[in-house]
Amino acid sequence: MKTAAAMAFLVGLAITPYAAQATDEAAEYWFNPSASLDLDQDTGVELETAQRFRSEADGRPDTYFARLWLNQEVARNVTLSGAFERRINDGGSNETRLIQQLSTKHGIFRTRLRLEQRFVENTDQMGLRVRPRLGLVIPVDDNKRLQFKTDAELFLTVRSTRNGGDTGLTGLRSQIGFAYEVNDRLSLSAAYLRQQDINDRGPDTVGHAPVIGIEWSL
């Protein structure tokens, strides 16, 4: 019963909009390939990339980024990670991020707490953001190669990159989909993602995107 209730809660978060006075809706397309390499039993590196394509009509630039991760399993089902990211916003201000992250597994439950330092070109100061995420991963078949996944993530801005910029809850990301482990080295995923950027001074911006993921273990 607890598992069913938790799944229903997360699915609800994934498909239910955050209450807002008004929103601007936009379609996007996300592609998320990555490659990882184990350095030893507890340590690994990962190169994560993403390509996010947006409609020219909504005025938001396409985004491309690459993150280099160092992952360390500090306890059973607990991983501490750090990353350096370079983000290119086609037609907008580019960005560099430093990321620290703690990930845990508790049966079918997944938690992630991410801290970001953001350096955006042509802005006033370094931004600081916290991103807690709660998710579920549920095997669908007996060999656990096919998995149902859903999660919801908050964007909490502690310090804006601009003087007088929005702080507090500035975004909500939720997604729902499936992942399939083709073999020990290759995993594919497909999901629906909803990204809501919360704006205190005007309508929120809501993006809807299919996300295709490819994970390759070297």
Side-chain angles (χ1 to χ4, degrees):
M1 291 297 294
K2 290 182 178 180
T3 299
M7 183 172 69
F9 172 72
L10 277 173
V11 171
L13 281 178
I15 62 177
T16 303
Y18 177 85
Q21 295 298 319
T23 60
D24 290 332
E25 307 283 334
E28 306 180 13
Y29 304 92
W30 291 22
F31 185 50
N32 191 198
S34 64
S36 61
L37 174 66
D38 290 336
L39 301 179
D40 59 34
Q41 186 175 355
D42 301 321
T43 309
V45 293
E46 179 184 2
L47 178 62
E48 178 187 4
T49 69
Q51 300 78 44
R52 299 175 180 174
F53 303 103
R54 301 181 171 104
S55 170
E56 295 182 1
D58 63 28
R60 293 190 298 160
D62 293 343
T63 297
Y64 312 89
F65 74 70
R67 292 181 186 143
L68 182 61
W69 288 97
L70 177 62
N71 303 312
Q72 177 69 45
E73 187 174 349
V74 294
R76 185 177 180 181
N77 296 327
V78 180
T79 302
L80 184 63
S81 306
F84 174 85
E85 174 187 315
R86 181 60 177 169
R87 180 175 294 245
I88 305 299
N89 293 306
D90 189 14
S93 296
N94 298 329
E95 181 178 347
T96 298
R97 294 184 186 178
L98 300 177
I99 304 171
Q100 302 82 46
Q101 179 172 289
L102 183 67
S103 305
T104 67
K105 298 178 182 180
H106 311 272
I108 64 171
F109 296 94
R110 302 290 184 270
T111 69
R112 190 182 78 184
L113 182 62
R114 177 178 293 181
L115 177 64
E116 297 177 327
Q117 297 84 48
R118 305 176 61 209
F119 304 87
V120 181
E121 295 175 357
N122 305 312
T123 56
D124 304 313
Q125 58 194 12
M126 179 196 76
L128 184 62
R129 189 164 64 185
V130 181
R131 294 169 52 177
R133 188 176 83 174
L134 175 63
L136 288 175
V137 176
I138 301 176
V140 176
D141 58 350
D142 292 338
N143 58 17
K144 299 182 179 181
R145 288 190 176 274
L146 180 63
Q147 298 177 322
F148 168 80
K149 293 186 173 184
T150 185
D151 58 63
E153 180 176 17
L154 301 178
F155 290 68
L156 305 173
T157 300
V158 179
R159 186 188 195 200
S160 174
T161 58
R162 297 185 182 277
N163 290 323
D166 291 346
T167 56
L169 180 60
T170 54
L172 169 63
R173 177 179 296 173
S174 51
Q175 57 184 329
I176 183 171
F178 292 88
Y180 180 69
E181 185 179 333
V182 180
N183 53 46
D184 292 340
R185 293 185 176 274
L186 179 63
S187 178
L188 306 176
S189 62
Y192 160 74
L193 180 144
R194 183 183 186 277
Q195 172 75 45
Q196 181 165 353
D197 297 327
I198 299 169
N199 184 5
D200 290 341
R201 298 171 178 79
D204 294 354
T205 300
V206 178
H208 305 273
V211 183
I212 303 299
I214 301 176
E215 298 182 17
W216 180 260
S217 298
L218 303 176

